[in-house]
Amino acid sequence: MVQTGQPVAETSTTSDDVLVVDDLRVYYDTPRSVVKAVDGVSFTLRQGQRLALVGESGSGKSTLATALMGMTKAPGRVHGGHVYLTGRDLLAMNRAEMRLTRLSEIALVPQAALNSLNPVIRVQRQIIDGIIDHAEGEKPTKEELNDRVQELLRTVGLTSSVARMFPHELSGGMKQRVAMAIATSLSPKLIIADEPTSALDVVVQRQIMETLGQLQEGLSASVILIGHDMGLIAQFADTIGIMYAGKLVEFGPVEAIFENAQHPYTQALIQSLPSFNHRLQSSGIPGLPPTLANLPAGCSFNPRCTFVMDTCRVNEPVLRNVGPGQSASCHLFEGDKE
Ligand code: SF4
């Protein structure tokens, strides 16, 4: 078990654990201050688990994903913590080790597929380049690579003719499928999907999520889905982590989060969902997310919270157990539910 002085979500580790994130901190150095984009996040992910990280813009979700991929760039830096992928500390790897780990162990389906694809290189070449760059051992033959490309395209629901096409010839959904083919080309154990359906229409969104689920099941991989669409996430994930101002503020099984959310921010996120039966009762979250460079003292959510107490403006709450597999950081639960 990873020893840490920080509160964690799902602390116990077993041989089934694919990912252990332990007190991860990612900071940005700016001329005025140090911005704590990810500040002490800890959680564990089992094989086959589907975790959704949810929160408004600026909550630290994508910064966390970038750090897990070993792709944090200046002025950002990993300030502290550990990330264990199948027992190996990702943050301790050198560039060559990390290159061999990407795609074969951990892979990212990026937010904007077009930006991650080279518009003037054919799809087949881009898939093959990924395999050659990241595969360990003997280089596959040309025939093996071509066969693999066809197999990957089939798996993500694309026809073989897409291999000869350029990304600019593809629809948004097709580009996202190509990005998924590249991400799964070396059968990773963990797939991180960073808002994979943003800018897609609702029908295509659903199809992309179905394909992502099929890929995950086919590989017995774990998934971290990053997003803010609670409706879409409810249908895909089995576990939800709610992020606010760089911290994990609630974590638990999807049913518990939707039926018995404990943190006032989680409750507000769920209440902001349009409901078929209660369309007129859905409401937005008052106020705006805080500026990370100038966080309020105490609980970062206190200026927007309808349950705010004096202590909330002074003392920062810590994540604590609030139910089976469920944890939340809020002064409302101190002392009575540990
Ligand atoms: Fe609201 Fe206080 Fe809980 Fe923060 S700690 S969510 S301000 S009740």
Side-chain angles (χ1 to χ4, degrees):
M1 175 171 165
V2 176
Q3 296 300 318
T4 171
Q6 299 300 315
V8 295
E10 298 262 319
T11 53
S12 60
T13 58
T14 69
S15 57
D16 258 3
D17 292 337
V18 169
L19 182 75
V20 177
V21 177
D22 177 32
D23 194 26
L24 183 62
R25 295 165 191 269
V26 185
Y27 294 175
Y28 286 83
D29 295 313
T30 73
R32 288 190 173 179
S33 64
V34 174
V35 173
K36 299 177 180 179
V38 173
D39 193 18
V41 169
S42 302
F43 63 87
T44 299
L45 199 62
R46 295 185 310 277
Q47 184 184 1
Q49 195 171 0
R50 296 178 174 188
L51 167 67
L53 289 177
V54 186
E56 293 164 288
S57 296
S59 60
K61 313 179 299 286
S62 293
T63 302
L64 174 61
T66 306
L68 297 183
M69 291 297 297
M71 293 164 57
T72 302
K73 291 199 172 81
R77 61 185 163 83
V78 175
H79 179 75
H82 297 278
V83 177
Y84 298 98
L85 182 69
T86 57
R88 299 166 67 212
D89 191 346
L90 287 186
L91 302 182
M93 288 184 183
N94 61 31
R95 282 170 65 102
E97 289 169 332
M98 197 64 220
R99 184 170 57 79
L100 293 178
T101 301
R102 291 195 198 107
L103 291 197
S104 63
E105 300 276 328
I106 181 171
L108 176 71
V109 178
Q111 194 171 132
L114 184 57
N115 296 344
S116 73
L117 299 172
N118 189 323
V120 294
I121 295 180
R122 294 184 198 277
V123 165
Q124 172 158 313
R125 186 71 251 163
Q126 299 196 50
I127 297 175
I128 288 175
D129 284 349
I131 294 172
I132 291 174
D133 279 355
H134 297 280
E136 202 168 358
E138 202 176 320
K139 192 178 162 191
T141 64
K142 191 175 173 190
E143 288 70 33
E144 286 171 337
L145 287 167
N146 289 343
D147 288 350
R148 181 68 178 141
V149 169
Q150 292 301 322
E151 183 189 359
L152 286 164
L153 291 178
R154 245 192 336 271
T155 309
V156 298
L158 292 171
T159 59
S160 57
S161 60
V162 171
R164 302 290 303 154
M165 296 171 77
F166 294 98
H168 69 80
E169 297 177 283
L170 307 177
S171 69
M174 291 167 82
K175 284 193 276 270
Q176 198 56 271
R177 287 176 189 279
V178 170
M180 288 196 284
I182 293 172
T184 54
S185 58
L186 292 175
S187 307
K189 296 183 177 68
L190 173 60
I191 303 167
I192 302 173
D194 188 0
E195 307 216 29
T197 60
S198 61
L200 301 177
D201 68 55
V202 287
V203 175
V204 180
Q205 280 183 2
R206 191 171 295 266
Q207 293 168 346
I208 291 291
M209 293 310 297
E210 281 173 8
T211 302
L212 181 62
Q214 288 160 4
L215 288 170
Q216 179 251 331
E217 283 171 11
L219 295 171
S220 298
S222 308
V223 171
I224 297 178
L225 172 66
I226 290 170
H228 55 260
D229 183 336
M230 289 288 272
L232 206 63
I233 276 161
Q235 291 167 31
F236 181 84
D238 52 48
T239 309
I240 294 185
I242 306 290
M243 290 195 66
Y244 192 80
K247 294 181 187 295
L248 205 51
V249 297
E250 185 155 10
F251 189 95
V254 65
E255 300 83 13
I257 297 291
F258 273 89
E259 289 166 19
N260 194 24
Q262 297 292 307
H263 196 283
Y265 177 58
T266 314
Q267 293 169 358
L269 275 178
I270 291 169
Q271 276 162 17
S272 69
L273 270 177
S275 156
F276 196 70
N277 296 325
H278 308 97
R279 198 174 301 172
L280 298 178
Q281 291 173 20
S282 67
S283 56
I285 304 173
L288 294 170
T291 308
L292 290 177
N294 189 23
L295 288 176
C299 171
S300 300
F301 189 58
N302 84 65
R304 307 170 75 186
C305 183
T306 48
F307 302 97
V308 63
M309 304 172 283
D310 288 345
T311 184
C312 306
R313 298 190 177 92
V314 181
N315 300 308
E316 198 175 316
V318 297
L319 208 56
R320 61 186 66 233
N321 292 336
V322 293
Q326 189 176 3
S327 48
S329 62
C330 175
H331 290 305
L332 290 172
F333 310 113
E334 283 176 2
D336 58 352
K337 290 198 177 182
E338 278 188 294

